[in-house]
Amino acid sequence: MNITWFLVLSAFLFVIGAAGVLTRRNPLVVLLCLELMLNAGNLALVAFSRMHGGQAGQVFALIVMVIAACEVVIGLGIIVAMYRNRLPIDIDEMSELRG
Amino acid sequence: MWFEQVLFFVAGIGALAGALGVVVVRNPFYSVLALVVHLLALAVLFLLLHAEFIAAAQVVVYAGAVMVLYIFVVAYIGGADEPLRPDGGMLHSFGPLFAGAIGVELCIAFIASGLDALDTRGADLGAGFGSPAEIGQLLLTRFLVPFEAASYLLLVAAVGAVVLARRRRGLEDIGALEEVGAPPDRREPPSETTLEVRV
Amino acid sequence: MSGTSYGWLVLAFPLAGTLVIAFGWLRPGGLPGRLPGWIASGAILGAFLSSIGALIELQDQPEDARSLVDSAWTYASTGDFKVDLSILVDPLSVFMCLVVSGVSFLIHVYSVAYMDGDRGYHRYFAYLNFFVFSMLLLVLAANFVVLIVGWAFVGAASYLLISFWYRRETATRAGIKAFVINVIGDVGLVVAAFLLLDKTGALDYAGVFAQADQVFTHNDGTLVAACLLILVGAFAKSAQLPLHTWLPDAMEGPTPVSALIHAATMVTAGVYLIARTHPLFELAPAAADVGAIVGTATLVFGATVALAVTDLKRTIAYSTISQIGYMVLGVSVFAYGAGLFHLMTHAFFKALLFMGAGSVISAMGGIQDMDRMGGLRKAMPFTFAAFTAGALALAAFPFTSGFFSKDEILAFTVERGGWYLVLAIAGYAGALLTAFYAFRMVFRVFYGNPVAEARELEQGHLAHHAPANPATGEPEDTDVGFPAEEHHIAERERPMRAAMGPLAVLALLAGLVQVPGVSDVIEKFLEPSFADSHFHDTAPSDGSEWIGLVVGGLISLVGIGAAYHAYVRRRGVTLELRDRFPRVHAFLVNKWYFDELFEALFVRPVATAGGFGRAVIETRFVQGFIVGGATGVVRVGSSFARSIQTGYLRGYALLLLLGVALLALYFLLASS
């Protein structure tokens, strides 16, 4: 039961989430993959907290959860606004930040 | 002991399966469900790490509230099956490649690093490790500022959500319609304004 | 007040005049009427009176202490080398100050009336005062640095005044030509100063001349080179061969400018320079001989060309070139007193001739061509009298000022003996030609049948022509940058008569201060400046001087008689001569083809090189390759950077991930 295994698992989860962000076109799914990455980070934080015996990692993970929740709220709000304004729900169509 | 290891592997496989499901499955509704499975597996892993409060919060807040919100939105929007776009070429091939590269690097970092502590089972824990009392104490003493900042963040998110969700008539009253930038009832996508820099 | 305080006042008055007039222009409407002219004249009168004050103070000193130096501040001081802004008040500089400020004052008074009505009245007098300031600075300098500063200012003022009517293209081109040739002289002078500084370690006159005796041997190579370079500077400023081509073109400026700058003062700066640096020339007689030869060649050249040209002002310009040749010859054979005496008398009669010419041209309505003039004697009696007085002095008619001064130079030349006799004979031949062309002008303009303008003037009605460029004939308007419409003649303007009168008197009588054997004012006055001259004792005896004077007087009478015969008695004989020797005439009228020579030797190659530079180097290399290359590189780079900004979120995310991967790789490698 090494801590290493937890960390390796967290790395895999992070990587899967990253691949998902890059490959999916539906913004809802992209947000879900972002959640994956955040959770992977949480897992690593809690693992390190167990390793050191201090609780700072767990507090950190709690705050990350709060942030994730806020981000999800706003992200979904944006997607709903997009839907309401009859824009296509496709990340590639939202390409106005260009030079 | 062996029980822990078995539980670790079961939860680990569950987490990985859920993650893969989120990424691979076409229907967004099923992706959300896969994420719920992933979150539950992660809660089990947290329990294994003696982080009881975090595990509980994960289940209640994340799987309970956030995912419910997600399901509502997916139901509202619909989220049709994505067609496979041939144009996604570069991103489709390189994205997973770079992500995989990061994964390899992280694994090398973890496994091959000389951190002694990683090989151990962890430090000796006190009695109340991971309990709400300890965490609450930390939140109100050592981590007070992040705690307050997080509450601000929640306030901002709530206000933002309200603004985003208002009906257009409400937005016109406060003149925020122009900032949202959406003229009423337009079928076509907004005109592309490009900023050309000429040398 | 001490002598040098007067010296500073001499400089301060014209400078103040310039500034007052220049700032007066800022007042709405400028200064009223002829006020700028009177302010300028007043400033120069102040300078003249201060020069007299300096003269009196100087004469109070004992003879061997008549060299006062005063410095205002130090430019540079390292070790034992020191350069100041200092002035030198000694007989030579006071003499020059008196001549310059006196004649300038009269010309200012003349200009007050002559330039009235010109849109650039303010500008004219500001420039004119600035010029006088520069000339006085040059003359009062006590070291080479201030001399070069004054030299350069004078060149700049000359440029400004030649191109005074700046909308006339011929005028601006003439100004540029004058300036370029002046710069050649400037370079010579500066390099000479460097050479002297290098060898003697000093730049002030006292230091250089004291060291020169010890450092240089007779005809030392470096000294000869330095003196030759000084001569280059002198020839450029004094319009000697071959750097003379700018002076006739400089007649594009207003007539009083020609009178002041190109007759009386600026062109004499070269003569002053040779006289001032005489210890160096006496140590390097080779350079002095070069000066004598060039002076003689120039005087012959100027006299021959003046026989053929028909533009009134240009005839007088070539006469100036010729007369300065006499002065250069004089100071090069170490006859300093004679050379400077001729400088003074020449200032009087040449300024007078130009003033008369200005009056004549005004009467003719702006026409300068002598072919179209005639019979103005009855219509313009005062101008006729003044002009004739000047011509008599120029021709060295017996007992006029020019008579004594020119023939004294030739007597000194004869006295030197040896091959200088050839120069003296050339000088006498030039005197014959001078007498002839001087009265050629008088007879052609004032005698003969009155032309239409003269008849109109006799009726009391000043002729008027459509404004046009006198050289090319192209029509102009009379706005700022072009001459005024109204013309002023001496008979009607008192300031013009007030200026020409004293000059006529001086031209006729000023010679009496230096009659051989009788009076010796100039020589005695200048002696302290030239006390260290080795050649001071080779003055001709009174007897030989009188023989020279008699010869000169006879020559002058013969010349005047020949002119009378050619232009009054048997009119048309010169036209027959011209038809019989067309090539000689063409050679003379085209000024010995110097302009064409310079055009082929210098102007055209430089223009071609410039064209090549513009077409190939500038356009293709610099614009295309260097500038275009730099902008091209930036453009390519920025277009590449722009291509990353696609707007696709997923693309940005990919780049982010890529960056993270690379960073992680770096840290992994760094820690291993």
Side-chain angles (χ1 to χ4, degrees):
Chain A
M1 275 303 303
N2 279 340
I3 305 294
T4 314
W5 298 4
F6 284 95
L7 295 175
V8 168
L9 178 63
S10 133
F12 280 153
L13 291 174
F14 184 85
V15 163
I16 292 171
V21 164
L22 289 179
T23 42
R24 296 302 295 261
R25 276 175 60 221
N26 191 330
L28 280 170
V29 181
V30 169
L31 279 171
L32 283 176
C33 298
L34 271 176
E35 296 305 311
L36 272 183
M37 293 160 79
L38 281 166
N39 277 302
N42 267 355
L43 181 60
L45 279 166
V46 173
F48 276 121
S49 151
R50 172 74 177 85
M51 182 179 99
H52 286 296
Q55 307 216 20
Q58 293 182 5
V59 172
F60 204 150
L62 196 62
I63 306 290
V64 170
M65 255 192 257
V66 168
I67 291 172
C70 300
E71 168 224 333
V72 160
V73 161
I74 301 296
L76 291 178
I78 291 177
I79 295 174
V80 166
M82 275 163 60
Y83 180 74
R84 275 235 219 98
N85 286 301
R86 303 204 167 82
L87 301 166
I89 309 296
D90 184 347
I91 270 208
D92 287 341
E93 296 296 323
M94 302 284 113
S95 58
E96 307 210 345
L97 265 177
R98 66 165 163 249
Chain B
M1 296 70 37
W2 66 269
F3 183 66
E4 281 183 14
Q5 288 184 335
V6 166
L7 199 55
F8 170 74
F9 273 110
V10 168
I13 289 173
L16 275 171
L20 281 170
V22 168
V23 172
V24 166
V25 169
R26 289 285 137 202
N27 194 330
F29 196 77
Y30 295 151
S31 299
V32 175
L33 293 177
L35 188 66
V36 173
V37 168
H38 165 86
L39 289 170
L40 292 173
L42 224 55
V44 171
L45 286 170
F46 285 154
L47 277 175
L48 276 172
L49 286 170
H50 288 274
E52 297 95 10
F53 181 70
I54 301 296
Q58 173 96 334
V59 172
V60 170
V61 169
Y62 234 127
V66 175
M67 286 301 122
V68 167
L69 181 63
Y70 247 110
I71 289 185
F72 268 113
V73 172
V74 169
Y76 175 48
I77 288 184
D81 288 0
E82 275 173 36
L84 261 168
R85 221 165 89 132
D87 188 11
M90 162 127 120
L91 283 166
H92 263 278
S93 41
F94 279 116
L97 186 69
F98 288 133
I102 294 182
V104 166
E105 287 167 7
L106 283 172
C107 290
I108 296 176
F110 293 144
I111 295 174
S113 76
L115 276 177
D116 296 328
L118 279 179
D119 274 341
T120 67
R121 303 172 46 123
D124 291 330
L125 301 171
F129 184 79
S131 69
E134 294 271 338
I135 293 188
Q137 172 127 14
L138 278 174
L139 275 179
L140 288 175
T141 57
R142 196 166 142 211
F143 296 112
L144 183 60
V145 173
F147 179 58
E148 296 297 333
S151 63
Y152 266 126
L153 188 62
L154 282 168
L155 176 65
V156 167
V159 169
V162 168
V163 167
L164 278 172
R166 273 181 88 116
R167 285 262 149 218
R168 265 179 259 119
R169 278 188 289 282
L171 288 176
E172 268 162 5
D173 288 346
I174 64 171
L177 188 57
E178 293 80 25
E179 276 136 60
V180 173
D185 284 323
R186 270 177 59 231
R187 281 264 163 209
E188 65 279 15
S191 65
E192 333 222 68
T193 53
T194 63
L195 188 65
E196 290 265 32
V197 176
R198 295 191 196 284
V199 174
Chain C
M1 283 220 282
S2 71
T4 47
S5 313
Y6 280 113
W8 290 115
L9 270 182
V10 169
L11 286 175
F13 271 110
L15 185 61
T18 307
L19 292 172
V20 165
I21 297 172
F23 284 112
W25 185 76
L26 293 173
R27 180 176 167 275
L31 297 169
R34 294 183 176 183
L35 188 56
W38 294 121
I39 294 178
S41 309
I44 306 301
L45 181 63
F48 180 68
L49 294 174
S50 307
S51 310
I52 294 186
L55 169 70
I56 296 175
E57 281 298 318
L58 198 63
Q59 295 300 92
D60 277 346
Q61 312 281 337
E63 258 210 33
D64 51 351
R66 290 212 187 137
S67 178
L68 313 167
V69 178
D70 187 33
S71 90
W73 69 73
T74 311
Y75 283 137
S77 169
T78 65
D80 42 332
F81 168 69
K82 202 159 169 288
V83 174
D84 305 343
L85 171 65
S86 51
I87 59 170
L88 167 69
V89 176
D90 79 340
L92 176 58
S93 53
V94 167
F95 176 80
M96 293 294 298
C97 282
L98 284 170
V99 171
V100 168
S101 53
V103 176
S104 304
F105 170 64
L106 292 172
I107 295 176
H108 274 78
V109 170
Y110 178 89
S111 307
V112 168
Y114 187 79
M115 297 294 289
D116 194 7
D118 195 299
R119 292 286 307 271
Y121 200 67
H122 274 79
R123 191 165 46 103
Y124 175 82
F125 279 104
Y127 286 166
L128 215 59
N129 262 21
F130 172 66
F131 167 78
V132 177
F133 165 71
S134 323
M135 187 70 201
L136 291 169
L137 184 67
L138 191 161
V139 161
L140 281 170
N143 55 42
F144 278 98
V145 172
V146 182
L147 172 77
I148 292 172
V149 168
W151 198 268
F153 276 174
V154 166
S158 166
Y159 165 77
L160 290 171
L161 284 164
I162 293 173
S163 2
F164 180 70
W165 288 319
Y166 53 83
R167 283 176 60 199
R168 239 186 221 174
E169 206 186 303
T170 46
T172 50
R173 252 189 277 137
I176 292 174
K177 187 172 178 180
F179 198 74
V180 168
I181 297 183
N182 256 293
V183 165
I184 298 177
D186 285 352
V187 168
L189 190 55
V190 169
V191 175
F194 278 146
L195 284 175
L196 291 170
L197 172 63
D198 183 40
K199 286 286 171 165
T200 61
L203 273 181
D204 53 312
Y205 295 144
V208 170
F209 299 153
Q211 292 280 327
D213 257 340
Q214 289 140 28
V215 176
F216 294 116
T217 58
H218 183 84
N219 268 340
D220 185 283
T222 317
L223 184 61
V224 172
C227 288
L228 284 176
L229 287 167
I230 292 179
L231 281 181
V232 167
F235 292 159
K237 194 68 81 177
S238 296
Q240 301 294 286
L241 250 54
L243 296 168
H244 64 280
T245 48
W246 63 272
L247 188 52
D249 286 357
M251 296 298 116
E252 292 282 340
T255 309
V257 166
S258 307
L260 178 60
I261 299 186
H262 307 126
T265 44
M266 183 178 108
V267 290
T268 57
V271 179
Y272 163 76
L273 179 64
I274 301 177
R276 175 61 81 192
T277 52
H278 68 268
L280 302 175
F281 280 95
E282 290 187 3
L283 273 175
D289 290 343
V290 170
I293 295 172
V294 170
T296 315
T298 308
L299 72 90
V300 171
F301 163 78
T304 52
V305 177
L307 287 176
V309 291
T310 53
D311 184 311
L312 181 60
K313 282 178 73 173
R314 276 172 178 75
T315 311
I316 307 179
Y318 283 106
S319 162
T320 305
I321 294 179
S322 175
Q323 294 300 306
I324 298 180
Y326 275 104
M327 293 180 224
V328 170
L329 171 64
V331 289
S332 294
V333 297
F334 310 130
Y336 308 114
L340 290 166
F341 181 41
H342 193 58
L343 191 155
M344 183 178 89
T345 60
H346 173 263
F348 297 149
F349 61 72
K350 196 48 66 68
L352 181 61
L353 281 174
F354 268 114
M355 287 184 186
S359 185
V360 165
I361 292 169
S362 285
M364 295 293 296
I367 294 178
Q368 291 179 214
D369 195 348
M370 277 199 288
D371 283 338
R372 296 175 59 176
M373 299 180 191
L376 280 164
R377 200 170 20 139
K378 241 177 58 170
M380 311 182 73
F382 181 82
T383 310
F384 170 61
F387 198 88
T388 311
L392 283 172
L394 173 59
F397 189 81
F399 301 109
T400 55
S401 59
F403 172 66
F404 288 110
S405 58
K406 190 191 302 186
D407 291 309
E408 194 176 335
I409 293 178
L410 294 173
F412 266 86
T413 314
V414 169
E415 182 66 26
R416 285 290 295 274
W419 59 276
Y420 289 102
L421 274 175
V422 177
L423 300 181
I425 294 174
Y428 280 115
L432 177 63
L433 295 176
T434 305
F436 185 82
Y437 71 67
F439 275 85
R440 169 178 180 252
M441 283 194 289
V442 171
F443 293 137
R444 282 188 79 165
V445 172
F446 293 105
Y447 281 72
N449 292 324
V451 293
E453 290 85 354
R455 270 177 274 129
E456 274 186 52
L457 194 49
E458 285 170 32
Q459 316 287 346
H461 170 66
L462 197 53
H464 178 74
H465 294 288
N469 186 331
T472 62
E474 61 179 279
E476 306 168 336
D477 58 73
T478 56
D479 206 351
V480 68
F482 278 130
E485 184 141 4
E486 39 181 287
H487 294 123
H488 306 276
I489 59 173
E491 280 70 17
R492 296 192 179 177
E493 294 280 350
R494 198 172 318 151
M496 289 167 76
R497 291 202 299 275
M500 291 165 78
L503 278 178
V505 170
L506 283 170
L508 290 175
L509 299 179
L512 296 173
V513 298
Q514 188 86 354
V515 181
V518 176
S519 58
D520 209 8
V521 175
I522 304 286
E523 282 272 358
K524 274 218 122 52
F525 173 63
L526 287 174
E527 198 171 308
S529 284
F530 299 106
D532 54 350
S533 166
H534 308 305
F535 289 84
H536 204 61
D537 359 307
T538 61
S541 64
D542 285 345
S544 42
E545 276 207 44
W546 272 106
I547 296 176
L549 283 176
V550 167
V551 172
L554 281 175
I555 289 178
S556 143
L557 289 171
V558 166
I560 296 176
Y564 182 75
H565 190 74
Y567 290 104
V568 179
R569 284 292 210 67
R570 274 187 65 192
R571 298 208 69 138
V573 67
T574 47
L575 295 169
E576 289 172 31
L577 275 174
R578 183 175 66 189
D579 294 332
R580 263 222 279 164
F581 302 104
R583 266 206 244 123
V584 174
H585 179 82
F587 184 66
L588 292 182
V589 163
N590 284 317
K591 315 154 236 162
W592 292 24
Y593 293 116
F594 264 105
D595 273 328
E596 287 76 6
L597 180 69
F598 288 159
E599 171 91 16
L601 268 185
F602 300 117
V603 176
R604 209 140 331 116
V606 172
T608 316
F612 172 76
R614 186 184 58 186
V616 175
I617 299 179
E618 177 68 22
T619 311
R620 286 216 213 121
F621 184 62
V622 175
Q623 275 297 107
F625 181 62
I626 296 183
V627 174
T631 57
V633 164
V634 170
R635 207 177 294 143
V636 164
S638 65
S639 75
F640 171 72
R642 228 183 308 137
S643 66
I644 299 181
Q645 305 277 325
T646 53
Y648 289 120
L649 279 170
R650 293 197 291 159
Y652 294 161
L654 178 67
L655 285 172
L656 263 175
L657 262 173
L658 179 63
V660 170
L662 288 173
L663 261 179
L665 186 65
Y666 167 72
F667 281 119
L668 265 184
L669 291 175
S671 64
S672 65

